[in-house]
Amino acid sequence: MAKIDHSLKFYGEAFLENLKVQHYSEESLKIRRFDLNIFFSWCEERGFTDADEITRPMIDRYQRYIFNYRQKNGKALSISCQRGRLTSVKLFFKWMAQKYHILNNPASELVMPREGHKLPGDILTRDEVELILIQPNIDTPTGLRDRVMLELLYSTGMRRSEVTSLTLVDVDFNREIIMIREGKGRKDRVVPVGKRALSWLQKYLDEARPILCKTMDAVHIFFTHDGSFFNKETLSENVRKYIIKSGVRKKGSCHLFRHTAATLMLENGADIRFIQQMLGHASLETTQVYTRVSITQLKQVHDLTHPSNHREISSQKSED
């Protein structure tokens, strides 16, 4: 009689398959697999390989391990990284209990580390954005492509993966909108796009894409110099290159444009609920971080209302 496999790795694969059936994205599956493999390896190093051997004290020990872990640069894992790795473990054991693979869920009372409200990093000014936008050499197919991608990042606040995944049918030039298909959380949404970005995109489609695209039936908009699929890591490298080339000394890449678009729109009076929809945030709380960055309106209120700004300062002239 064959022995029933109760190993963590066996159930781990079943858990990931279940997520796949529930239509989780490939990126989410990749993250969960990575996190669980770290946990399984940690357990195996301590002599535990079966799922029913894991207890609540072991989960607590693993949380302390994650907290004390140091990377090659000597730094601890960020709170968000710690939460992510623990979330994967918590979801795994929740599923195990729901499917009756274990009698008790050892991670049911796992308390996540508290995450503070960190502000986004640097925000570009309008002049800095314009300076970066003119860096690509638009006389070359790849330079024209890069200018268009920068314009889209700035105009729409899209994520880098959403830009690289765009297809020809996703852009409606007449209605001036872009359909983002299966964004974060596999959710579709529609975002407006500015006339200038559309104008650059049309120029690229007419002049550069036919050169970069090597197959007649290709549907994606952006390609590398050799005609291969344009991935998000390559986009980040290109954007960072142009930021450095411009002389703008601010950290970030694609997300820097996303943060900038949201912040500048808020400062110009956009409703935060519109920003939430444009950025594709599931929770308004995620979007509200930009209200802490948008300082222009707060400064205006301060100038108008704070007593120190209206106090008359009398000066006495000294007499000879």
Side-chain angles (χ1 to χ4, degrees), residues 6-205:
H6 293 287
S7 68
L8 288 166
K9 291 183 178 180
F10 171 80
Y11 285 122
E13 290 300 323
F15 168 69
L16 293 170
E17 183 63 27
N18 181 70
L19 293 182
K20 190 174 182 179
V21 170
Q22 293 183 26
H23 207 53
Y24 278 71
S25 68
E26 290 297 325
E27 187 68 20
S28 294
L29 292 172
K30 182 180 178 181
I31 292 171
R32 298 302 177 208
R33 181 183 296 276
F34 179 81
D35 292 342
L36 288 177
N37 283 340
I38 291 176
F39 174 68
F40 295 161
S41 297
W42 180 86
C43 292
E44 189 173 352
E45 288 173 0
R46 286 151 183 81
F48 300 98
T49 57
D50 284 0
D52 54 8
E53 294 178 319
I54 308 304
T55 61
R56 181 180 171 185
M58 283 189 64
I59 298 295
D60 291 338
R61 284 177 59 194
Y62 181 68
Q63 183 171 16
R64 290 194 295 272
Y65 165 78
I66 291 296
F67 174 78
N68 292 313
Y69 181 81
R70 292 297 177 267
Q71 304 172 77
K72 291 182 179 179
N73 59 10
K75 293 184 178 180
L77 297 174
S78 66
I79 298 298
S80 60
C81 182
Q82 293 180 47
R83 287 176 62 90
R85 293 192 180 178
L86 293 172
T87 296
S88 295
V89 173
K90 193 166 186 175
L91 290 174
F92 169 67
F93 281 109
K94 180 181 179 181
W95 173 82
M96 291 280 287
Q98 288 175 340
K99 297 298 181 180
Y100 301 105
H101 297 311
I102 54 177
L103 294 177
N104 298 300
N105 179 357
S108 61
E109 297 183 24
L110 176 62
V111 179
M112 293 292 177
R114 295 181 61 184
E115 191 166 17
H117 294 288
K118 292 183 66 176
L119 296 176
D122 291 324
I123 300 296
L124 298 169
T125 65
R126 293 175 179 83
D127 290 341
E128 288 172 336
V129 171
E130 297 301 326
L131 183 59
I132 296 168
L133 290 175
I134 63 173
Q135 297 307 312
N137 179 8
I138 59 174
D139 293 328
T140 67
T142 54
L144 181 54
R145 175 206 63 199
D146 292 348
R147 173 63 186 261
V148 174
M149 298 181 96
L150 288 170
E151 290 279 358
L152 289 175
L153 286 168
Y154 180 44
S155 179
T156 65
M158 285 192 290
R159 300 179 178 91
R160 57 179 186 168
S161 59
E162 295 168 346
V163 174
T164 57
S165 299
L166 285 176
T167 66
L168 295 171
V169 298
D170 294 336
V171 183
D172 189 329
F173 283 88
N174 293 326
R175 298 169 63 195
E176 299 179 354
I177 58 174
I178 290 178
M179 168 65 79
I180 297 175
R181 304 179 191 276
E182 294 195 355
K184 191 172 183 179
R186 290 209 164 185
K187 296 179 180 178
D188 294 349
R189 72 181 190 280
V190 176
V191 296
V193 57
K195 289 182 173 61
R196 185 175 76 170
L198 285 175
S199 178
W200 279 105
L201 177 56
Q202 188 64 67
K203 180 177 176 64
Y204 164 79
L205 293 176

